[in-house]
């Protein structure tokens, strides 16, 4: 059985997909653009601000189901420019304590809406 997960503290999906889907103990969070749900805009053009917003969106979606960032087991980071990796990583590290989740990071040809990055996550709670 799967459940659609929605938080009004994260931007609504911009296409035919859900913010996240929950199965028994796992939540699959769709790629989160750095969109501030209050304004519908990016916080700025700075990669650090955008990384913080994308991760905050993930955090808010997870919290709507009683999960935390500590429950994240895997993330995927899509970067418009791999040169932004170190700056993104600085912000990323502040969202996790202890064992970091597994992660993949890629430079892609483009990110929707001209964002500098998009981040997706998988969380599991025993």
């Amino acid at each position: 059985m799967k459940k659609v997960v929605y938080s009004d503290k994260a931007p609504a999906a911009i296409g035919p997909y859900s913010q996240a889907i929950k199965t028994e103990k796992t939540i699959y969070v769709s790629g989160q653009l750095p969109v501030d749900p209050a304004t519908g805009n990016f916080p700025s053009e700075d990669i650090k601000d955008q990384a913080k917003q994308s991760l905050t969106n993930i955090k808010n979606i997870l919290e709507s189901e009683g999960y935390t960032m500590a429950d994240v087991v895997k993330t995927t980071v899509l970067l418009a420019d791999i040169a932004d990796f170190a700056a993104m990583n600085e912000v990323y590290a502040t969202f996790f304590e202890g064992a970091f989740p597994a992660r993949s990071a890629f430079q892609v040809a483009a990110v929707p809406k001209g964002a500098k990055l998009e981040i997706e996550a998988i969380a599991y709670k025993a």
Side-chain angles (χ1 to χ4, degrees), residues 31-48:
Q32 292 300 301
L33 292 172
V35 175
D36 180 335
T39 66
N41 297 314
F42 298 151
S44 77
E45 290 300 313
D46 182 79
I47 186 65
K48 289 183 178 182

Side-chain angles (χ1 to χ4, degrees), residues 7 10 12 16 28 35 42 46 56-57 60 62 66 72-73 77 79 89 98 104-106 109 112 115 120 123:
S7 170
Y28 300 88
V35 175
F42 298 151
D46 182 79
T56 298
N57 292 342
N60 289 339
L62 293 173
V72 175
V73 296
V77 180
L79 294 159
N89 219 29
S104 300
F106 304 95
E120 68 178 24

Side-chain angles (χ1 to χ4, degrees), residues 16-65:
Y17 62 91
S18 301
Q19 284 179 334
I21 293 291
K22 181 179 180 185
T23 60
E24 286 185 36
K25 298 178 181 182
T26 305
I27 296 179
Y28 300 88
V29 181
S30 293
Q32 292 300 301
L33 292 172
V35 175
D36 180 335
T39 66
N41 297 314
F42 298 151
S44 77
E45 290 300 313
D46 182 79
I47 186 65
K48 289 183 178 182
D49 292 339
Q50 289 197 16
K52 181 178 180 183
Q53 186 64 59
S54 288
L55 289 160
T56 298
N57 292 342
I58 290 169
K59 181 177 178 278
N60 289 339
I61 290 167
L62 293 173
E63 286 178 350
S64 74
E65 289 294 315

Side-chain angles (χ1 to χ4, degrees), residues 112-126:
K113 299 184 91 173
K116 293 186 180 282
L117 82 168
E118 179 175 2
I119 305 173
E120 68 178 24
I122 300 170
Y124 175 84
K125 186 183 268 192

